[in-house]
PDB file of all heavy atoms in Angstrom:
ATOM      1  N   LEU A 168     -40.065 -69.219  75.087  1.00 91.00           N
ATOM      2  CA  LEU A 168     -39.355 -69.085  73.766  1.00 91.00           C
ATOM      3  C   LEU A 168     -39.806 -70.166  72.822  1.00 91.00           C
ATOM      4  O   LEU A 168     -40.019 -71.263  73.236  1.00 91.00           O
ATOM      5  CB  LEU A 168     -37.931 -69.102  74.003  1.00 91.00           C
ATOM      6  CG  LEU A 168     -37.226 -67.832  74.632  1.00 91.00           C
ATOM      7  CD1 LEU A 168     -35.837 -68.131  75.043  1.00 91.00           C
ATOM      8  CD2 LEU A 168     -37.296 -66.693  73.799  1.00 91.00           C
ATOM      9  N   VAL A 169     -39.798 -69.877  71.540  1.00 89.00           N
ATOM     10  CA  VAL A 169     -40.337 -70.852  70.538  1.00 89.00           C
ATOM     11  C   VAL A 169     -39.270 -70.840  69.501  1.00 89.00           C
ATOM     12  O   VAL A 169     -38.411 -69.934  69.266  1.00 89.00           O
ATOM     13  CB  VAL A 169     -41.677 -70.524  70.007  1.00 89.00           C
ATOM     14  CG1 VAL A 169     -42.749 -70.552  70.962  1.00 89.00           C
ATOM     15  CG2 VAL A 169     -41.630 -69.096  69.258  1.00 89.00           C
ATOM     16  N   GLU A 170     -39.327 -72.007  68.632  1.00 86.00           N
ATOM     17  CA  GLU A 170     -38.277 -72.090  67.557  1.00 86.00           C
ATOM     18  C   GLU A 170     -36.804 -72.106  67.929  1.00 86.00           C
ATOM     19  O   GLU A 170     -36.068 -71.727  67.204  1.00 86.00           O
ATOM     20  CB  GLU A 170     -38.563 -71.140  66.410  1.00 86.00           C
ATOM     21  CG  GLU A 170     -39.886 -71.244  65.870  1.00 86.00           C
ATOM     22  CD  GLU A 170     -40.299 -70.261  64.761  1.00 86.00           C
ATOM     23  OE1 GLU A 170     -39.617 -69.319  64.678  1.00 86.00           O
ATOM     24  OE2 GLU A 170     -41.128 -70.500  63.830  1.00 86.00           O
ATOM     25  N   TYR A 171     -36.482 -72.304  69.211  1.00 88.00           N
ATOM     26  CA  TYR A 171     -35.092 -72.211  69.565  1.00 88.00           C
ATOM     27  C   TYR A 171     -34.250 -73.339  69.044  1.00 88.00           C
ATOM     28  O   TYR A 171     -33.043 -73.116  68.906  1.00 88.00           O
ATOM     29  CB  TYR A 171     -35.065 -72.220  71.049  1.00 88.00           C
ATOM     30  CG  TYR A 171     -35.761 -73.277  71.730  1.00 88.00           C
ATOM     31  CD1 TYR A 171     -35.256 -74.612  71.905  1.00 88.00           C
ATOM     32  CD2 TYR A 171     -37.081 -73.044  72.375  1.00 88.00           C
ATOM     33  CE1 TYR A 171     -35.973 -75.669  72.559  1.00 88.00           C
ATOM     34  CE2 TYR A 171     -37.885 -74.050  72.924  1.00 88.00           C
ATOM     35  CZ  TYR A 171     -37.261 -75.332  73.053  1.00 88.00           C
ATOM     36  OH  TYR A 171     -37.996 -76.308  73.699  1.00 88.00           O
ATOM     37  N   ASP A 172     -34.964 -74.436  68.598  1.00 87.00           N
ATOM     38  CA  ASP A 172     -34.080 -75.563  68.016  1.00 87.00           C
ATOM     39  C   ASP A 172     -34.409 -75.712  66.600  1.00 87.00           C
ATOM     40  O   ASP A 172     -33.973 -76.760  66.047  1.00 87.00           O
ATOM     41  CB  ASP A 172     -34.435 -76.844  68.782  1.00 87.00           C
ATOM     42  CG  ASP A 172     -35.883 -77.090  68.740  1.00 87.00           C
ATOM     43  OD1 ASP A 172     -36.619 -76.321  68.313  1.00 87.00           O
ATOM     44  OD2 ASP A 172     -36.250 -78.177  69.177  1.00 87.00           O
ATOM     45  N   SER A 173     -34.972 -74.639  65.928  1.00 87.00           N
ATOM     46  CA  SER A 173     -35.335 -74.789  64.541  1.00 87.00           C
ATOM     47  C   SER A 173     -34.223 -74.284  63.594  1.00 87.00           C
ATOM     48  O   SER A 173     -33.793 -73.117  63.774  1.00 87.00           O
ATOM     49  CB  SER A 173     -36.616 -73.922  64.253  1.00 87.00           C
ATOM     50  OG  SER A 173     -36.893 -74.049  62.872  1.00 87.00           O
ATOM     51  N   SER A 174     -33.818 -75.103  62.684  1.00 86.00           N
ATOM     52  CA  SER A 174     -32.790 -74.777  61.651  1.00 86.00           C
ATOM     53  C   SER A 174     -33.481 -74.316  60.448  1.00 86.00           C
ATOM     54  O   SER A 174     -32.733 -74.154  59.321  1.00 86.00           O
ATOM     55  CB  SER A 174     -31.850 -75.919  61.370  1.00 86.00           C
ATOM     56  OG  SER A 174     -32.608 -77.171  60.956  1.00 86.00           O
ATOM     57  N   GLU A 175     -34.718 -74.122  60.342  1.00 88.00           N
ATOM     58  CA  GLU A 175     -35.460 -73.707  59.211  1.00 88.00           C
ATOM     59  C   GLU A 175     -35.157 -72.244  58.959  1.00 88.00           C
ATOM     60  O   GLU A 175     -34.932 -71.527  59.802  1.00 88.00           O
ATOM     61  CB  GLU A 175     -36.959 -73.901  59.426  1.00 88.00           C
ATOM     62  CG  GLU A 175     -37.869 -73.517  58.252  1.00 88.00           C
ATOM     63  CD  GLU A 175     -39.320 -73.587  58.563  1.00 88.00           C
ATOM     64  OE1 GLU A 175     -39.650 -74.086  59.674  1.00 88.00           O
ATOM     65  OE2 GLU A 175     -40.111 -73.150  57.729  1.00 88.00           O
ATOM     66  N   LYS A 183     -34.094 -69.496  61.665  1.00 84.00           N
ATOM     67  CA  LYS A 183     -35.054 -69.040  62.761  1.00 84.00           C
ATOM     68  C   LYS A 183     -34.519 -69.256  64.197  1.00 84.00           C
ATOM     69  O   LYS A 183     -34.658 -68.506  65.100  1.00 84.00           O
ATOM     70  CB  LYS A 183     -36.322 -69.759  62.701  1.00 84.00           C
ATOM     71  CG  LYS A 183     -37.149 -69.320  61.431  1.00 84.00           C
ATOM     72  CD  LYS A 183     -38.555 -70.075  61.371  1.00 84.00           C
ATOM     73  CE  LYS A 183     -39.242 -69.663  60.085  1.00 84.00           C
ATOM     74  NZ  LYS A 183     -40.618 -70.354  59.924  1.00 84.00           N
ATOM     75  N   GLY A 184     -33.748 -70.418  64.378  1.00 88.00           N
ATOM     76  CA  GLY A 184     -33.197 -70.714  65.705  1.00 88.00           C
ATOM     77  C   GLY A 184     -31.777 -70.441  65.793  1.00 88.00           C
ATOM     78  O   GLY A 184     -31.036 -70.862  66.676  1.00 88.00           O
ATOM     79  N   GLY A 185     -31.278 -69.464  64.916  1.00 88.00           N
ATOM     80  CA  GLY A 185     -29.830 -69.216  64.849  1.00 88.00           C
ATOM     81  C   GLY A 185     -29.261 -68.595  66.185  1.00 88.00           C
ATOM     82  O   GLY A 185     -28.190 -68.714  66.565  1.00 88.00           O
ATOM     83  N   TRP A 186     -30.139 -67.805  66.800  1.00 87.00           N
ATOM     84  CA  TRP A 186     -29.743 -67.130  68.073  1.00 87.00           C
ATOM     85  C   TRP A 186     -29.432 -68.145  69.164  1.00 87.00           C
ATOM     86  O   TRP A 186     -28.642 -67.749  70.034  1.00 87.00           O
ATOM     87  CB  TRP A 186     -30.872 -66.246  68.529  1.00 87.00           C
ATOM     88  CG  TRP A 186     -32.225 -66.976  68.803  1.00 87.00           C
ATOM     89  CD1 TRP A 186     -33.226 -67.061  67.876  1.00 87.00           C
ATOM     90  CD2 TRP A 186     -32.738 -67.625  69.984  1.00 87.00           C
ATOM     91  NE1 TRP A 186     -34.308 -67.835  68.395  1.00 87.00           N
ATOM     92  CE2 TRP A 186     -33.937 -68.099  69.704  1.00 87.00           C
ATOM     93  CE3 TRP A 186     -32.144 -67.693  71.266  1.00 87.00           C
ATOM     94  CZ2 TRP A 186     -34.721 -68.766  70.626  1.00 87.00           C
ATOM     95  CZ3 TRP A 186     -32.903 -68.394  72.201  1.00 87.00           C
ATOM     96  CH2 TRP A 186     -34.073 -68.916  71.952  1.00 87.00           C
ATOM     97  N   TYR A 187     -29.940 -69.340  69.034  1.00 91.00           N
ATOM     98  CA  TYR A 187     -29.635 -70.487  70.047  1.00 91.00           C
ATOM     99  C   TYR A 187     -28.674 -71.506  69.440  1.00 91.00           C
ATOM    100  O   TYR A 187     -27.644 -71.882  70.136  1.00 91.00           O
ATOM    101  CB  TYR A 187     -30.934 -71.132  70.545  1.00 91.00           C
ATOM    102  CG  TYR A 187     -30.604 -72.095  71.742  1.00 91.00           C
ATOM    103  CD1 TYR A 187     -30.626 -71.653  72.944  1.00 91.00           C
ATOM    104  CD2 TYR A 187     -30.469 -73.466  71.386  1.00 91.00           C
ATOM    105  CE1 TYR A 187     -30.368 -72.664  74.001  1.00 91.00           C
ATOM    106  CE2 TYR A 187     -30.349 -74.344  72.352  1.00 91.00           C
ATOM    107  CZ  TYR A 187     -30.180 -74.011  73.747  1.00 91.00           C
ATOM    108  OH  TYR A 187     -30.053 -74.876  74.704  1.00 91.00           O
ATOM    109  N   ILE A 188     -28.834 -71.890  68.306  1.00 91.00           N
ATOM    110  CA  ILE A 188     -27.956 -72.833  67.642  1.00 91.00           C
ATOM    111  C   ILE A 188     -26.680 -72.431  67.407  1.00 91.00           C
ATOM    112  O   ILE A 188     -25.658 -73.182  67.540  1.00 91.00           O
ATOM    113  CB  ILE A 188     -28.600 -73.355  66.286  1.00 91.00           C
ATOM    114  CG1 ILE A 188     -30.052 -74.046  66.605  1.00 91.00           C
ATOM    115  CG2 ILE A 188     -27.728 -74.319  65.600  1.00 91.00           C
ATOM    116  CD1 ILE A 188     -30.773 -74.337  65.406  1.00 91.00           C
ATOM    117  N   LEU A 202     -35.154 -60.163  61.987  1.00 71.00           N
ATOM    118  CA  LEU A 202     -36.122 -61.309  61.791  1.00 71.00           C
ATOM    119  C   LEU A 202     -37.428 -60.865  62.432  1.00 71.00           C
ATOM    120  O   LEU A 202     -37.387 -60.355  63.527  1.00 71.00           O
ATOM    121  CB  LEU A 202     -35.505 -62.566  62.403  1.00 71.00           C
ATOM    122  CG  LEU A 202     -36.245 -63.937  62.016  1.00 71.00           C
ATOM    123  CD1 LEU A 202     -35.978 -64.167  60.681  1.00 71.00           C
ATOM    124  CD2 LEU A 202     -35.624 -65.061  62.925  1.00 71.00           C
ATOM    125  N   PRO A 203     -38.524 -61.059  61.877  1.00 70.00           N
ATOM    126  CA  PRO A 203     -39.817 -60.772  62.401  1.00 70.00           C
ATOM    127  C   PRO A 203     -40.170 -61.635  63.507  1.00 70.00           C
ATOM    128  O   PRO A 203     -40.093 -62.864  63.277  1.00 70.00           O
ATOM    129  CB  PRO A 203     -40.862 -60.684  61.169  1.00 70.00           C
ATOM    130  CG  PRO A 203     -40.201 -61.826  60.242  1.00 70.00           C
ATOM    131  CD  PRO A 203     -38.696 -61.566  60.342  1.00 70.00           C
ATOM    132  N   TYR A 204     -40.604 -61.033  64.718  1.00 66.00           N
ATOM    133  CA  TYR A 204     -41.004 -61.871  65.850  1.00 66.00           C
ATOM    134  C   TYR A 204     -42.534 -61.464  66.113  1.00 66.00           C
ATOM    135  O   TYR A 204     -42.900 -60.317  65.949  1.00 66.00           O
ATOM    136  CB  TYR A 204     -40.269 -61.630  67.098  1.00 66.00           C
ATOM    137  CG  TYR A 204     -38.692 -62.148  66.893  1.00 66.00           C
ATOM    138  CD1 TYR A 204     -37.768 -61.530  66.337  1.00 66.00           C
ATOM    139  CD2 TYR A 204     -38.500 -63.471  67.373  1.00 66.00           C
ATOM    140  CE1 TYR A 204     -36.481 -62.022  66.148  1.00 66.00           C
ATOM    141  CE2 TYR A 204     -37.219 -64.015  67.268  1.00 66.00           C
ATOM    142  CZ  TYR A 204     -36.281 -63.315  66.772  1.00 66.00           C
ATOM    143  OH  TYR A 204     -34.961 -63.835  66.646  1.00 66.00           O
TER     144      TYR A 204
END
Side-chain angles (χ1 to χ4, degrees):
L168 291 166
V169 296
E170 297 183 336
Y171 49 85
D172 56 353
S173 174
S174 57
E175 182 182 354
K183 294 181 178 181
W186 56 271
Y187 186 84
I188 296 175
L202 195 65
Y204 290 89

